[in-house]
Amino acid sequence: MAAADAFTSAPDSFSWFDIVDPDGAELDRLRVAFSMHPVTVEDTMHRRQRPKVELFDEYAYVVLRPLTLTTEPEVALQEHEVHVLAGREFIVTLRWTPEFPMQGVQARWNRHPDMRQAGYAIYVLLDEVVDDYLTAVEALEDEADDLEDLVFERDGEGDADTLQQRLFRLKRDTVVLRRSAMPLRQGIDLIQEDAAITTPAMAPYFRDVMDHVIRVVELADNVRDLLTSLLEVRVAQAANRLNEAMKSMTAWAGIVLVPTLIAGIYGMNFDHMPELSWQLGYPSALGLMAGSAVGLYVYFKRRGWL
Amino acid sequence: MAAADAFTSAPDSFSWFDIVDPDGAELDRLRVAFSMHPVTVEDTMHRRQRPKVELFDEYAYVVLRPLTLTTEPEVALQEHEVHVLAGREFIVTLRWTPEFPMQGVQARWNRHPDMRQAGYAIYVLLDEVVDDYLTAVEALEDEADDLEDLVFERDGEGDADTLQQRLFRLKRDTVVLRRSAMPLRQGIDLIQEDAAITTPAMAPYFRDVMDHVIRVVELADNVRDLLTSLLEVRVAQAANRLNEAMKSMTAWAGIVLVPTLIAGIYGMNFDHMPELSWQLGYPSALGLMAGSAVGLYVYFKRRGWL
Amino acid sequence: MAAADAFTSAPDSFSWFDIVDPDGAELDRLRVAFSMHPVTVEDTMHRRQRPKVELFDEYAYVVLRPLTLTTEPEVALQEHEVHVLAGREFIVTLRWTPEFPMQGVQARWNRHPDMRQAGYAIYVLLDEVVDDYLTAVEALEDEADDLEDLVFERDGEGDADTLQQRLFRLKRDTVVLRRSAMPLRQGIDLIQEDAAITTPAMAPYFRDVMDHVIRVVELADNVRDLLTSLLEVRVAQAANRLNEAMKSMTAWAGIVLVPTLIAGIYGMNFDHMPELSWQLGYPSALGLMAGSAVGLYVYFKRRGWL
Amino acid sequence: MAAADAFTSAPDSFSWFDIVDPDGAELDRLRVAFSMHPVTVEDTMHRRQRPKVELFDEYAYVVLRPLTLTTEPEVALQEHEVHVLAGREFIVTLRWTPEFPMQGVQARWNRHPDMRQAGYAIYVLLDEVVDDYLTAVEALEDEADDLEDLVFERDGEGDADTLQQRLFRLKRDTVVLRRSAMPLRQGIDLIQEDAAITTPAMAPYFRDVMDHVIRVVELADNVRDLLTSLLEVRVAQAANRLNEAMKSMTAWAGIVLVPTLIAGIYGMNFDHMPELSWQLGYPSALGLMAGSAVGLYVYFKRRGWL
Amino acid sequence: MAAADAFTSAPDSFSWFDIVDPDGAELDRLRVAFSMHPVTVEDTMHRRQRPKVELFDEYAYVVLRPLTLTTEPEVALQEHEVHVLAGREFIVTLRWTPEFPMQGVQARWNRHPDMRQAGYAIYVLLDEVVDDYLTAVEALEDEADDLEDLVFERDGEGDADTLQQRLFRLKRDTVVLRRSAMPLRQGIDLIQEDAAITTPAMAPYFRDVMDHVIRVVELADNVRDLLTSLLEVRVAQAANRLNEAMKSMTAWAGIVLVPTLIAGIYGMNFDHMPELSWQLGYPSALGLMAGSAVGLYVYFKRRGWL
């Protein structure tokens, strides 16, 4: 397992083991080496765990669900899963494909050799994960602003269904983000209770991460409320536009049907219809038709139906 | 009652009695044998109890409402009901038709003869029930994903009412699932307070089940929120489609009514209508009609009304 | 007041006084006999009190708002009001027209002469009231199931407003039920604190009633959520049906207007219209009209607009 | 300031000062006489304070926002504001125009000279204010019942916008009422902690007022839920009615356009149209038109489109 | 840094440093001078922090998000950010462009030289910030009242989309305001726990600010609920108006199409149509058309369709 240890570069009393996509044999060795409780063993074998912190006698078990932004093929959230076993003299991180990138964590860990203890390791990891949440929630805010502009754009009717779908997808992403971040509030409280892995001096650090978690959750709630309002606005807008379409249809129907009625009148076969024998009867009738059409057009235009 | 005891295969100081569809006589014998409290007796005689844990001096009384997935005639949730009486030296499980399958529970129980105590029995049972909840909630998530695809499918208008009904049914299933799982949170806390049936060593196990219960509830909340959003999207979509239908109707009405007006004009009976005597009057009129229809078609096509 | 005492049939150290529609004089005698606090006196003189439990030095004051099902002229909830004064050696129940039927309570009370104490009396009363709530909530569930079937019935458009009204009335009944049952949770907790009227041996009984209260509230919440979803579904359905009506109208308009256009064409008065002098001109024109109508009908039928 | 003292009619150790629309000078004298804290002084100088109770060393400061019903020009809620300074030997009430009427309070205060202490004074004032809330919430319930009848009235379409507006105004009044009453729950708890102004014997009185506050809030919540449901019903109803209007329009269009088509057919100019020379051709054609119109009318009537 | 100190004009044991848009060097000097914790240093370097109070051994760190009203180009909320470091003998305020104006704070600070301590400084700052919130929330209430009038205005259909947008923007501003004020509730509680920066004598002041914060939050909730109701009303109104437009269209179609049918009838070519040879046939037909049109107009007018 020494090969898996990507972080601890010097002989040290505290070791960090990082394993990507552990197989059964590796998990088995871990189980024996760190006397893992059966329920922890069970949890490490299944994906899609809830973010949580569980304190055992020998170690703390932390499950994180980091989110990163991918840009290919379009901007989207990428879900990761990281499990952490933290004891007095070691920390083990388990990652699965798509693996959460830990370069930032490693760099900060190596920069402070004086703080090599599980509490600090967990803090650094949490801080990076929560910073990624903040990046993600800001991307969601940007998308929400774009959608808001589209909703209120005058000729924004172009592709109503696509807009609806983007609103929906964004709302779902917001829920994923919230669900990943929210349980950390309770988790961070729990970590600080474990004297074996953290010290009072770490308290301001964890309080700071906690504050960022709350900010992530609040911003996500914001985005969600905004999207809910936008969806409501969409419904009201659609009803307005239907109204306008209905009026415009009524107006155009009148403009075509009134001349049709006039034509119908002069198509009647009465023996005594003086206009029919007038020299200017036909142009007058055409003029009447045109006049009624123009008159209706002007009338409806003024009432704002066209 | 020995016949009903499906589990305890060896003479043992701890016994598990499992009874399916107990009749009055059996309940009566149970009542005497385990000195059941009158309210417990009352509860065992009625179906559709709430999931709960009640601690009595001599025993703990647990009501579970397991859910399993059936696939015949279609994928649906099957509700079960299991009552548990757990004392220091015995556990009784009462099941009713459709009976909750306990093979998995039995296998795990027999695999660990060293852990034969009521706390472990309840844990195994809870764990199996909650695992079934997880299976169920994942099936609900799959159905929700299918429905989402259907909602955003371009020509997904085919059977709007059926889609609505599936959305509604899924929402109802989600509520059933949530209501079955939710009360276990409080119940699991209560079980751990009863020193007679559980030991501190069981704590991590119960904490693990608790965590799974919370996950079930969170995932169910997720599905529900998603369905609520989908229903909102449906309303907005229906309004959009109505708009489109209205525009398309306006366009087609114009395409038919304008040539009708032209025909009406040349159907007028004026004595002096020079076009009528033209050699090419008729084809010209037909050409004018066709031209106006094509012109309107192109115009409306460009505006996106067709 | 002895005449009002419907329950205590034997000379006993504990007495139950039951008074229906007490007048001022009776309330006055009660006030003196049981040294009622001014605020209790005040409360007994006004109807539509909130369900509650108030502990005084000499007695506990309980207000209940039972609900029973009436079937005349239609199934509906009947609201009742019962006030209870419970002391160490007496219990007084005040009822008002429409009076809550207490035969069940009386029968259970007489069946257990060994348990004659205020705590048991309150338990029996609560249990009967809460059982009636369960009966009521099950009736509401049945009504909700009926409405669900009506909503998803294919030709269920028959009387949309009546359906809406039943949905609304049911929702209101659910709220009434919830409001009647909910305050009992706090009340039952309070009763158990009063050592003067109850004993620890009563605890499982009250816990059982509490469990039923919670079940009533949860089932009522269920019905309410279901109704909210049904109302949302109704809106989406109405929009769908409007869409369908619009399409069907467009289709029929086309089927009538295209032949009208053809008739208009052959009604033109051009001198040179070869078809007019054809021997089969007229039947051909009729055929063309019929053909276009049938063609459009088939076209729209295939697109699902008819 | 003796002139302002409207209540204390006899030389007494406890004094009640009541001032309407106090000016700067009066507030200044109060400040000195009762050693008011700067923040209390500040608060008494601004209107639209939140209802609250604040305990200071020398006095308790209570802000109330009573509501009364006015009937001119229409039934509406009238908001008032009353500030109370209550010490061991005095109580000061400040009122502003439109002043909250205190005759009821004064009468009750004078009726119980034995209970002259700040706790009782505050209780009487609270009780009157909360009774006015109950009167107000019952008026809102009546208005809600009226609106419900209007919503479900068959021909209730008369003035849809006015109905909408009444629903909206009522909802807003309900919110005002709730906001005025809600903070009193916390406030009443606080008053009882202050041994200087109240005694344990007052506890049942305050508990009774508290119970009424909760009832006001619950009834207001009820009205609000009912109004929300009514607004939802309105949307569904409007969609239904649109559907009906659409169907009725389709039916009438058919009834007019089919005879128009028949007239168009017999207006064609074919040389060989045998019907044209029939003696009864014209009446037959009229009969055909009438027959088709009647046939369509009967057909649509049966389908419920008319 | 002395230059940055805008407030402390006399040599004093307590100093207030105010820095606008601090650069890296200034933050560095601060860090050393006041032994700031690394997480505080980190926080001061990033904008858009959550409002919060964090207590450290040497100082309290307060983040505020003041809001002011701007009137150019239109009335809008301007967001600011202020960080405060408060110790036993100093207070540092950091502000960023657009800088929150502190003249009011400075004036009050200078007016009470006897109260120069961090607790009072924070109180004055909080009080000014919360007063600005109150001003802002009142401006939002005014805008909401305007929008309400527009919604219920008879001919208020003029610019539906703009109205929608104003409703949406106002709702968003309300959320911003609520999010800025809400965290202060917890923050003010925290400040009072820090004996190093505040004294019990400050308690009434902080309680007063707390009360104003709650009022801001309640008023903002009010505005939000009102806006939600207005959006619902808009949807119902749009549906009503669509209904009216549909009816008016049906009516006008009838008024034009019935005369068209009459003209069609007298355009038929039957040999035997007695009316055709009547002397008054043509004027009679015109009269019939006019009569039917007027009759329909009157009919629809009476039914309220026009």
Side-chain angles (χ1 to χ4, degrees), chain A residues 148 211 222 240 269 271, chain E residues 52 172 179 266 268 276:
Chain A
E148 185 194 329
D211 177 64
N222 253 25
N240 283 335
N269 295 320
D271 293 351
Chain E
K52 66 177 170 184
R172 207 179 45 182
R179 190 184 52 192
Y266 291 112
M268 293 193 296
L276 295 185

Side-chain angles (χ1 to χ4, degrees), chain A residues 179-193:
Chain A
R179 190 184 51 192
S180 304
M182 194 66 184
L184 293 183
R185 294 177 66 162
Q186 217 185 334
I188 293 170
D189 275 343
L190 217 54
I191 288 170
Q192 299 188 66
E193 288 174 16

Side-chain angles (χ1 to χ4, degrees), chain B residues 224-235:
Chain B
R224 201 185 44 185
D225 289 356
L226 206 132
L227 291 175
T228 302
S229 298
L230 277 181
L231 258 165
E232 286 168 10
V233 162
R234 290 285 307 160
V235 172

Side-chain angles (χ1 to χ4, degrees), chain D residues 37-39 43 48-50 52 54-56 157 159-162 164-165 168-169 171-172 175 179 231 234-235 238 241-242 245-246 248-249 256-257 259-260 263 266-269 275-279 281-282 285-286 289, chain E residues 123 138 141 145 148 152 154 201 204-205 207-208 211-212 214-215 218-219 222 226 229-230 232-233 235-237 239-243 246-247 249-250 257-258 260-261 264-275 305:
Chain D
H37 192 278
V39 300
D43 279 352
R48 297 189 67 202
Q49 297 289 324
R50 258 188 93 229
K52 66 177 169 184
E54 287 183 347
L55 306 182
F56 291 87
E157 238 175 314
D159 202 349
D161 274 9
T162 308
Q164 227 92 276
Q165 195 164 6
F168 177 80
R169 294 263 150 91
K171 202 168 178 185
R172 206 179 46 182
V175 169
R179 190 184 52 192
L231 258 165
R234 290 286 305 160
V235 172
R241 286 192 180 141
L242 193 54
M246 179 75 87
S248 136
M249 184 177 170
V256 174
L257 289 177
T260 302
Y266 291 111
M268 294 194 295
N269 294 321
E275 299 95 323
L276 295 184
S277 50
W278 289 358
Q279 192 67 28
Y282 177 47
L286 289 183
M289 290 179 201
Chain E
Y123 159 70
E138 276 160 14
E141 279 186 319
D145 284 347
E148 185 194 328
F152 289 114
R154 263 292 136 177
Y205 293 94
R207 191 174 56 186
D208 194 61
D211 177 63
H212 291 178
I214 297 174
R215 204 169 126 209
E218 284 184 359
L219 291 175
N222 254 22
L226 206 132
S229 298
L230 278 181
E232 286 168 9
V233 162
V235 172
Q237 274 185 342
N240 283 335
R241 284 188 182 144
L242 193 54
N243 230 323
M246 178 76 86
K247 284 176 177 170
M249 184 179 170
T250 305
L257 289 178
V258 167
T260 302
L261 171 57
I265 287 170
Y266 291 112
M268 293 193 296
N269 295 321
F270 287 100
D271 292 352
H272 305 282
M273 290 179 69
E275 298 95 324
W305 288 36

Side-chain angles (χ1 to χ4, degrees), chain C residues 266 274-289, chain D residues 268 270-274:
Chain C
Y266 291 112
E275 298 96 322
L276 294 185
S277 51
W278 290 357
Q279 192 67 29
L280 293 175
Y282 178 46
S284 306
L286 289 182
L288 187 59
M289 289 178 201
Chain D
M268 294 194 295
F270 286 101
D271 293 351
H272 305 281
M273 290 178 70

